[in-house]
Amino acid sequence: MAEKVLVVGGGGREHALAWKLAQSSLVQQVLVAPGNAGTASCGKISNSEVSVSNHSILAQFCKDHHVGLVVVGPEVPLAAGIVDDLTAVGVPCFGPSAKAAQLEASKSFSKAFMERHGIPTARYGSFTDPQEACSYIRTADYPALVVKASGLAAGKGVIVAGDREEACRAVMDIMKDGAFGSAGETVVVEELLQGEEVSCLCFSDGSSVAPMPPAQDHKRLQDGDQGPNTGGMGAYCPTPQVSRELLQEIRETVLQRTVDGMREEGAPYVGVLYAGLMLTPQGPKVLEFNCRFGDPECQVLMPLLQSDLYQVILNTMSGRLASSAPVWHQDSAAVTVVMASAGYPGSYQKGVRITGLSQVEDMGLQVFHAGTALKDGGVVSSGGRVLTVTAVRPSLETALQAANQGVAAVGFPGSVYRRDIGHRAVADLNRHRGLTYKDSGVDIAAGNKLVDMIKPLAKATSRPGCSADLGGFAGLFDLKAAGFVDPILVSGTDGVGTKLKIAQACGRHGGLGQDLVAMCVNDVLAQGAEPLFFLDYFSCGRLDVEVAAAVVGGVAKACQMAGCALLGGETAEMPGVYAPGEYDLAGFCVGAAERGALLPRLSDITEGDALIGVASSGIHSNGFSLVRKVLEKSGLSYSSPAPFSQSGETVGEVLLTPTKIYSRPLLPILRGGAVKAYAHITGGGLLENIPRVLPQELAVDLDASLWSIPPVFSWLQQAGALSEEEMSRTFNCGLGAVLVASPSDAQSVLRQLQAQEAWIVGSLTRRQPGAEPVVVRNLKHSLQNAGPTSRAEPNGSIPLKRTKVGVLISGTGTNLQALIEQARRPSSSAEIVVVISNRPGVQGLKRASLAGIQTRVVDHKLYGSRAEFDGTIDRVLEEFGVELVCLAGFMRILTGTFVRKWNGKLLNIHPSLLPSFKGVNAQKQALQAGVRVAGCTVHFVAEEVDTGAIIVQEAVPVLGGDTEDSLSDRIREAEHRAFPTAMELVASGAVRLGEDGRLLWKNQS
């Protein structure tokens, strides 16, 4: 049975421990007391208000809440005997006893212990009289310049003096002026050692030790080891200065000798032992012992631990380390950079708002909170050291670069941090190794790793005619196998322009893959061609595998959306050509059309033909140089709340909305023959793209009042004072594609486009001599009515507000994605404000996060009853002001109390044509019954399962060779159309549940 674990502490170290413990399948929940904003509510992790200073109350809490293990982070509770007190009443607690913790709690004890057991350390003297200490400093035959308060002083009780007078002043400050309180009643004066300082930690089960990779902390506040001492401004691991042989020496002469000595003295050491060492010319010498994980060393050690931390702790506590040593990730380096409050380590302001943290995690980095708190729904500072940004990369240099990029993405006004963590190690590496191709900036291993990561993604794009296997010199495509008889090949190439700069600044790279595919596929579609295969080109100065994988992963996903295979690509690493963090993209698509089905059909296009506009998702991928100029003029940043968003998105999130891919919805319509031409509205906007598919004697007459213009265009026009011509020549203004059809076919084409947002937006006229080829009427007026609070519908009506929707999920969230796409439409009456999952880590949560939607996890396993679980769900929905709830693959039965409260506001989708085949295995029931038609049903939820009033149904024919899987796949496609339609009907008020439990349409009210 999975355990509950309680972590004691509230810093970055404790967040890192909780984060690692939560990854264990053996752990059900991690409580952190008192915790911080980062541990407040994050999957399995949550904070607890229990007192950790009163050990009796803490023990009772652990028993009442079935806590199976307590892990202690800081040194003060250990020195106070928390392990002894909890263990005595049967609560397992990880850490050394109070007696063993004297190694840290009393530097006087620690120095005497090392002397007794022959553990190498600096020469020293221990004093309770300040005059004796100063006399010792002045007469010692070595530089006695290190003055330490013997007791616990939160890692700050050490002064390294520049001369004897400064050392004596330090003694007086500590002993007479009480700079560190009772911790300074005894002082230790030590020899100043010269060399490199490192941290060597190990797990100890009382007999054996299991060393961790050596790390190095950076105590000084400023770059170049300048400024005052702190609790630690960053760390990296492993340290190249400690060879395998030297680590073995440290293990034998320091770590094992210490554990053996403690056992001999009747205080077996069980827990984490931290040895702070100086690597002197005479060998490693101990500067100090700590009886717990270091902070910030813990933040680089936990990401490098491959083993299950919970299992490692159990093995340590049960004396099994010798046979079950922890395993660490090899060929990786970790760097953590501490962000501190302005004024630290002195006085500092609290309550400073912190933003951009989700952006940092999107960059593949981990943020560990320390002095943070939650206030008004956001994160604010509450301490000196506020948070750390940790990067794990193949090399120390790339890890440092990534961590620094992460720090730069955090919005924390006045924050103090170092940019040179690991500088000594980088210098050491550069001194001792010969040049390689990697040193020139080209990392072949990283390139190979990228290929290995994207191979399965490319394989998933296989289609008839192509297996999409990467690795060869060229790719093959079999046109015959794809069903072509007399094909013409059609090719297109494009990039994504300076939208790249915004993605790089925001650290959000995945959507660019869809942009790249869309720009090429939508061009090929203009010839009536089916996109067959795609190739990408990714160039950069230094290859960041995680970033490249995000981009190419987005390309692969988009290829699946477009129906083409990702057949190959090129990754070019070109040092010196691109600045750090920059890259460029190009894409190449090849399609085919039967010779007789090519577009445009110029001879068929005539005056009076209708123009059908298909909605864009926003700016798409053109005009971003102008967008960035307007943004600069407005003073907004990418992390600013977007004045043109209705759902609380940032400027960057709205601008990075991916370009729509039109191939799947439009290709069947293009093949039907009613469409004479298709224009992709790309660079050149409305004015330059539509004429490209028309005879020269015809002109375009568009009426902008006939389609919905996304609010971002209105903002751009107003903030940049852009003319109507500039808007229509640069941007798509809400139309991603324009189709040409005869007036008699236009309505039929619109009906086929019902899953898209489309309008008849104008017509073709005879072009007069000297006249413009395109006229856009009512554009200025329509732009003025396209703001976030006044979205114009095609018929001119303006909805007063959007209905706030909450979606409950349990898994991959494919129906959720369909709902998200519907809610993104400018004309939608629904706004998805929160997605709640009863299971952590599912794909649906990632879909929501990528769409900028708030997520919450309410794990049903953590609640004692269905009522308690439902009550928590209800509170979250109330918190977000939800007015309508959609169950999208939510695999829990809701209580009657919950259903009654949300009566008429709760929708579910079922994979059958209700009332037939209720309950589970509906597809199996349908096949067994031998029906010829199955389908799906969206209905209001009633207390009895699958009995509520039906809103929308869609039929799916049952084919002769259907299996459960094949039928389920087709029903799922129908669900992706039916559920958004039903949500829209209810959100818009077109349909509601009557008091008698029957459906009531608006015209019946």
Side-chain angles (χ1 to χ4, degrees):
M1 179 181 172
E3 290 279 15
K4 286 186 182 179
V5 179
L6 174 69
V7 175
V8 174
R13 165 182 51 215
E14 288 73 38
H15 188 181
L17 290 171
W19 171 80
K20 189 64 182 177
L21 285 163
Q23 295 173 14
S24 172
S25 60
L26 303 173
V27 173
Q28 177 192 47
Q29 183 182 17
V30 182
L31 301 172
V32 188
N36 53 47
T39 56
S41 179
C42 181
K44 293 183 183 179
I45 306 171
S46 58
N47 289 340
S48 171
E49 299 295 331
V50 64
S51 169
V52 295
S53 57
N54 188 318
H55 298 171
S56 298
I57 292 176
L58 181 60
Q60 192 58 51
F61 172 88
C62 292
K63 291 178 178 180
D64 292 345
H65 291 81
H66 309 292
V67 173
L69 174 66
V70 176
V71 177
V72 185
E75 64 276 11
V76 173
L78 293 168
I82 190 172
V83 175
D84 310 71
D85 294 342
L86 293 185
T87 304
V89 294
V91 177
C93 186
F94 178 64
S97 65
K99 191 174 180 182
Q102 287 182 95
L103 280 175
E104 178 173 6
S106 171
K107 292 180 177 62
S108 180
F109 168 86
S110 176
K111 295 296 287 190
F113 172 85
M114 286 186 271
E115 198 169 43
R116 289 195 299 274
H117 293 279
I119 296 167
T121 186
R123 290 174 285 181
Y124 79 104
S126 181
F127 306 94
T128 56
D129 181 283
Q131 298 302 330
E132 291 181 13
C134 288
S135 176
Y136 182 84
I137 289 168
R138 292 189 179 100
T139 59
D141 59 358
Y142 57 84
L145 300 177
V146 181
V147 181
K148 299 180 178 180
S150 181
L152 296 176
K156 299 169 188 169
V158 179
I159 292 91
V160 179
D163 54 38
R164 288 186 169 93
E165 290 309 312
E166 187 182 345
C168 287
R169 285 197 300 272
V171 168
M172 293 302 174
D173 286 344
I174 293 172
M175 301 193 77
K176 296 196 75 174
D177 297 339
F180 301 110
S182 59
E185 291 174 358
T186 299
V187 297
V188 171
V189 178
E190 281 187 2
E191 173 186 13
L192 177 63
L193 298 176
Q194 299 295 330
E196 193 83 30
E197 194 172 337
V198 295
S199 305
C200 288
L201 290 79
C202 70
F203 292 99
S204 168
D205 61 10
S207 298
S208 302
V209 296
M212 305 180 199
Q216 187 173 66
D217 185 11
H218 292 61
K219 289 291 187 187
R220 297 283 189 169
L221 181 69
Q222 298 163 359
D223 285 353
D225 294 320
Q226 300 299 308
N229 264 342
T230 69
M233 294 301 294
Y236 68 94
C237 179
T239 56
Q241 302 93 316
V242 179
S243 64
R244 192 183 300 271
E245 295 74 22
L246 182 55
L247 184 59
Q248 182 62 27
E249 179 186 343
I250 292 167
R251 174 179 184 156
E252 293 170 359
T253 63
V254 176
L255 302 175
Q256 188 65 56
R257 199 173 289 180
T258 301
V259 171
D260 291 344
M262 293 300 288
R263 189 176 66 253
E264 290 168 13
E265 296 192 7
Y269 195 100
V270 178
V272 170
L273 177 63
Y274 172 133
L277 302 169
M278 184 70 81
L279 305 181
T280 74
Q282 294 77 38
K285 293 187 178 183
V286 177
L287 295 173
E288 63 175 356
F289 282 123
N290 292 327
C291 58
R292 36 69 192 182
F293 278 105
D295 187 342
E297 289 92 341
C298 189
Q299 290 92 301
V300 288
L301 286 165
M302 288 302 96
L304 293 178
L305 178 61
Q306 185 174 330
S307 298
D308 181 327
L309 176 61
Y310 178 75
Q311 189 64 62
V312 171
I313 289 174
L314 294 188
N315 291 339
T316 304
M317 295 175 69
S318 59
R320 297 199 301 268
L321 272 183
S323 58
S324 303
V327 178
W328 301 85
H329 288 291
Q330 303 298 315
D331 302 320
S332 290
V335 170
T336 196
V337 178
V338 173
M339 300 188 74
S341 296
Y344 175 81
S347 59
Y348 47 82
Q349 179 186 352
K350 296 182 180 180
V352 178
R353 190 168 183 83
I354 301 166
T355 58
L357 299 180
S358 60
Q359 270 181 237
V360 178
E361 295 187 350
D362 289 344
M363 296 164 70
L365 307 174
Q366 184 62 45
V367 176
F368 293 118
H369 292 241
T372 62
L374 293 175
K375 183 179 180 182
D376 299 330
V379 177
V380 298
S381 65
S382 65
R385 291 192 297 170
V386 175
L387 56 86
T388 68
V389 176
T390 301
V392 178
R393 295 292 187 267
S395 71
L396 181 61
E397 295 96 322
T398 55
L400 175 57
Q401 181 186 31
N404 285 339
Q405 287 172 349
V407 166
V410 176
F412 180 12
S415 58
V416 179
Y417 53 89
R418 288 183 60 161
R419 298 163 182 81
D420 67 341
I421 302 302
H423 66 96
R424 295 192 203 90
V426 172
D428 185 76
L429 288 169
N430 291 337
R431 250 192 333 265
H432 290 97
R433 70 183 181 200
L435 286 176
T436 64
Y437 199 9
K438 187 174 180 179
D439 293 319
S440 72
V442 180
D443 190 342
I444 294 173
N448 291 338
K449 181 180 179 183
L450 175 63
V451 172
D452 290 339
M453 290 173 72
I454 62 179
K455 271 185 177 180
L457 303 177
K459 184 68 175 175
T461 68
S462 296
R463 53 153 292 159
C466 176
S467 61
D469 285 316
L470 299 185
F473 288 101
L476 304 176
F477 194 96
D478 186 342
L479 285 167
K480 195 171 184 179
F484 287 92
V485 177
D486 185 20
I488 298 290
L489 291 179
V490 179
S491 64
T493 182
D494 211 333
V496 297
T498 54
K499 190 172 186 177
L500 280 165
K501 302 287 285 184
I502 298 177
Q504 289 160 6
C506 295
R508 297 171 68 96
H509 310 281
L512 291 179
Q514 180 171 331
D515 289 314
L516 187 65
V517 173
M519 295 301 287
C520 299
V521 164
N522 292 344
D523 278 352
V524 166
L525 202 60
Q527 307 298 144
E530 174 186 351
L532 301 179
F533 61 86
F534 190 86
L535 301 103
D536 67 272
Y537 178 81
F538 180 98
S539 57
C540 58
R542 180 185 289 271
L543 180 61
D544 184 321
V545 174
E546 301 298 328
V547 170
V551 174
V552 182
V555 169
K557 183 179 177 183
C559 283
Q560 287 183 290
M561 294 168 63
C564 61
L566 178 55
L567 193 56
E570 168 69 6
T571 302
E573 197 170 14
M574 297 184 285
V577 176
Y578 297 95
E582 290 189 354
Y583 56 84
D584 200 2
L585 293 174
F588 312 88
C589 180
V590 174
E594 295 294 351
R595 191 178 300 272
L598 286 169
L599 292 179
R601 300 200 308 273
L602 293 176
S603 60
D604 292 345
I605 299 173
T606 63
E607 181 181 359
D609 278 349
L611 298 174
I612 300 167
V614 185
S616 67
S617 58
I619 301 175
H620 283 185
S621 299
N622 297 106
F624 274 92
S625 295
L626 179 56
V627 170
R628 290 165 55 230
K629 200 70 179 174
V630 173
L631 205 60
E632 181 184 327
K633 178 182 176 183
S634 73
L636 290 178
S637 69
Y638 297 130
S639 59
S640 301
F644 38 82
S645 169
Q646 296 170 293
S647 51
E649 294 170 292
T650 65
V651 170
E653 287 168 340
V654 176
L655 295 182
L656 290 175
T657 301
T659 307
K660 267 191 179 181
I661 297 175
Y662 294 112
S663 53
R664 285 196 188 272
L666 291 190
L667 200 56
I669 299 171
L670 300 184
R671 286 173 171 167
V675 173
K676 303 176 181 181
Y678 155 103
H680 176 204
I681 310 303
T682 178
L686 297 168
L687 299 187
E688 295 186 8
N689 285 291
I690 304 175
R692 295 166 70 180
V693 298
L694 300 177
Q696 290 187 353
E697 67 271 16
L698 295 180
V700 174
D701 180 16
L702 293 174
D703 184 347
S705 68
L706 297 177
W707 74 84
S708 289
I709 298 180
V712 64
F713 293 111
S714 173
W715 180 85
L716 284 168
Q717 189 268 325
Q718 293 172 23
L722 305 181
S723 67
E724 290 181 76
E725 182 180 5
E726 196 66 40
M727 288 295 299
S728 53
R729 191 178 301 281
T730 306
F731 301 115
N732 64 61
C733 296
L735 300 181
V738 173
L739 312 180
V740 180
S742 67
S744 60
D745 288 332
Q747 289 300 328
S748 170
V749 172
L750 273 181
R751 282 194 296 273
Q752 293 177 73
L753 281 167
Q754 61 180 344
Q756 300 292 311
E757 198 167 16
W759 313 265
I760 295 176
V761 296
S763 62
L764 297 181
T765 62
R766 180 67 51 184
R767 185 176 178 183
Q768 301 303 316
E772 294 295 331
V774 178
V775 173
V776 185
R777 293 182 287 112
N778 299 315
L779 180 59
K780 185 175 181 179
H781 178 266
S782 298
L783 284 167
Q784 290 171 347
N785 290 325
T789 57
S790 59
R791 292 174 300 112
E793 296 289 324
N795 61 10
S797 64
I798 300 175
L800 296 177
K801 72 180 198 67
R802 302 180 84 183
T803 299
K804 293 184 177 180
V805 178
V807 184
L808 273 54
I809 65 169
S810 294
T812 57
T814 54
N815 270 323
L816 166 65
Q817 188 64 43
L819 296 177
I820 290 172
E821 290 170 6
Q822 173 64 32
R824 276 178 171 166
R825 295 183 176 186
S827 61
S828 175
S829 297
E831 176 189 3
I832 300 175
V833 294
V834 66
V835 172
I836 305 171
S837 172
N838 67 306
R839 294 170 56 204
V842 297
Q843 181 65 27
L845 292 172
K846 296 178 183 176
R847 292 179 190 271
S849 295
L850 287 171
I853 299 170
Q854 292 278 332
T855 61
R856 293 288 186 272
V857 175
V858 182
D859 192 338
H860 63 278
K861 297 175 185 175
L862 305 183
Y863 294 87
S865 66
R866 283 170 55 200
E868 187 183 356
F869 170 71
D870 286 5
T872 304
I873 296 271
D874 183 58
R875 283 193 296 276
V876 175
L877 294 172
E878 294 282 3
E879 174 191 344
F880 283 88
V882 168
E883 301 163 285
L884 177 65
V885 181
C886 295
L887 308 181
F890 185 64
M891 307 303 291
R892 306 298 299 173
I893 296 176
L894 296 163
T895 58
T897 303
F898 185 95
V899 172
R900 285 191 295 275
K901 174 174 179 179
W902 290 91
N903 185 45
K905 303 173 184 176
L906 191 59
L907 309 187
N908 185 42
I909 189 160
H910 183 73
S912 78
L913 295 175
L914 292 175
S916 300
F917 313 127
K918 297 178 182 178
V920 298
N921 302 320
Q923 299 93 331
K924 184 177 181 181
Q925 293 181 57
L927 290 171
Q928 288 175 342
V931 299
R932 305 314 304 156
V933 178
C936 63
T937 302
V938 187
H939 61 94
F940 284 109
V941 176
E943 288 189 59
E944 187 179 341
V945 175
D946 297 334
T947 60
I950 294 169
I951 305 167
V952 172
Q953 289 186 311
E954 182 161 337
V956 174
V958 180
L959 305 180
D962 260 336
T963 63
E964 254 187 270
D965 287 342
S966 63
L967 180 58
S968 296
D969 287 344
R970 293 205 314 286
I971 290 176
R972 197 172 295 114
E973 291 177 8
E975 288 179 351
H976 297 168
R977 295 186 290 273
F979 210 165
T981 301
M983 177 183 73
E984 199 61 50
L985 287 170
V986 178
S988 66
V991 66
R992 63 183 176 86
L993 190 65
E995 293 182 6
D996 59 358
R998 296 185 178 184
L999 218 59
L1000 194 62
W1001 291 86
K1002 191 171 185 178
N1003 57 8
Q1004 293 178 282
S1005 301

